[in-house]
Amino acid sequence: MTAEDYLNGQVILIDKPLGWSSFQAVNKIKWALLKHLKLKKLKIGHAGTLDPLATGLLVLCTGKYTKKITEFQDAVKEYTGTFTLGATRPSYDMETEVDAVFETGHLSEEIIKSTTAKFIGQIEQYPPAFSAIKKDGKRLYELAREGKSVELTARKIQIFEFEITHIALPEVGFRVVCGKGTYIRSLAHDFGKALDSGAYLSALRRTKTGNFNVRNAVAPQQFVDGLM
């Protein structure tokens, strides 16, 4: 592809590795393109952040296609991953240590699978205290790391599909199809509450954004190597 192609606009599908921030992935692609195409500048951005602890589909837009970012961010997304039952963590995921432990002896496959029905449709969800949402000019995760408590506001979100894919307690595999603004970490936390047992998100992978599928994505280094 030529410099003109990327300036006019391209969609690049990246499979973000574990431990990378979305910014790191975008930066890797951006600098590789600038060098390869001998450009001084190139607009590039992503349509929806993935946490460093998550892997999967990151939709990148270049040039004039950066105007499509909001459209792609608003698209329905699919995630797969693992909830760990019987404990909670302040961040609702693996970023922080376990702060409470709960019984899981009362849980059966039938109870776990049937509880998903409570979360289908339009529901209210509180974002995690450790999130990038801003409050008084600071991101919530910054306030949380400073030990400051923040009053969170519930938001309406849409869950179209929620299925349990495997059960090997304390781990439970899932697949979720949801609308914009959904926090899978919060879903894990709320799911644990509904089961009368704690839960946190222990693995997450974004598999789809709108019509884009992670099966068609490449790792950042694979994309860079393909330019040579």
Side-chain angles (χ1 to χ4, degrees):
M1 255 183 245
T2 66
E4 190 177 354
D5 290 327
Y6 284 104
L7 290 168
N8 283 334
Q10 293 294 321
V11 171
I12 302 169
L13 303 183
I14 294 297
D15 187 348
K16 188 191 79 63
L18 184 68
W20 285 48
S21 70
S22 297
F23 176 77
Q24 280 177 294
V26 172
N27 233 22
K28 175 93 173 173
I29 303 306
K30 180 177 181 177
W31 289 109
L33 284 172
L34 288 173
K35 182 179 177 182
H36 176 71
L37 300 171
K38 297 180 172 57
L39 291 171
K40 288 190 175 177
K41 60 180 181 179
L42 174 67
K43 274 180 154 184
I44 184 167
H46 66 76
T49 302
L50 273 177
D51 292 336
L53 291 174
T55 67
L57 184 61
L58 200 61
V59 178
L60 274 55
C61 298
T62 74
K64 293 176 183 176
Y65 273 28
T66 53
K67 292 177 182 175
K68 295 177 179 281
I69 284 176
T70 301
E71 174 192 334
F72 296 151
Q73 280 177 331
D74 291 348
V76 171
K77 297 175 179 67
E78 179 186 82
Y79 296 90
T80 60
T82 307
F83 297 151
T84 297
L85 307 183
T88 56
R89 296 175 185 246
S91 60
Y92 301 172
D93 65 4
M94 301 284 283
E95 184 184 342
T96 53
E97 296 300 316
V98 168
D99 61 354
V101 176
F102 302 84
E103 286 293 326
T104 58
H106 63 288
L107 298 176
S108 65
E109 181 175 332
E110 184 184 352
I111 288 170
I112 292 168
K113 287 187 173 180
S114 64
T115 300
T116 59
K118 295 181 180 180
F119 296 91
I120 304 290
Q122 189 179 74
I123 62 170
E124 288 205 337
Q125 184 186 74
Y126 286 91
F130 285 74
S131 69
I133 295 170
K134 283 190 173 179
K135 177 109 175 166
D136 301 327
K138 290 193 87 170
R139 298 200 182 275
L140 291 185
Y141 63 75
E142 293 174 327
L143 296 169
R145 285 168 187 157
E146 290 170 8
K148 295 177 181 175
S149 59
V150 178
E151 190 176 335
L152 301 172
T153 305
R155 306 189 300 179
K156 283 186 167 58
I157 55 119
Q158 190 85 25
I159 303 231
F160 301 101
E161 298 177 45
F162 181 14
E163 68 167 320
I164 301 302
T165 54
H166 73 266
I167 297 173
L169 289 177
E171 293 188 343
V172 172
F174 69 86
R175 184 183 72 88
V176 169
V177 179
C178 57
K180 67 174 182 177
T182 302
Y183 279 94
I184 307 299
R185 285 181 287 153
S186 290
L187 179 62
H189 183 77
D190 295 342
F191 190 62
K193 273 187 179 177
L195 290 170
D196 291 322
S197 173
Y200 60 87
L201 182 66
S202 46
L204 182 67
R205 182 164 177 77
R206 184 155 66 203
T207 47
K208 292 179 185 175
T209 294
N211 293 322
F212 301 117
N213 195 304
V214 74
R215 288 198 299 263
N216 302 315
V218 295
Q221 191 59 52
Q222 189 180 347
F223 178 84
V224 172
D225 292 344
L227 293 173
M228 296 175 184

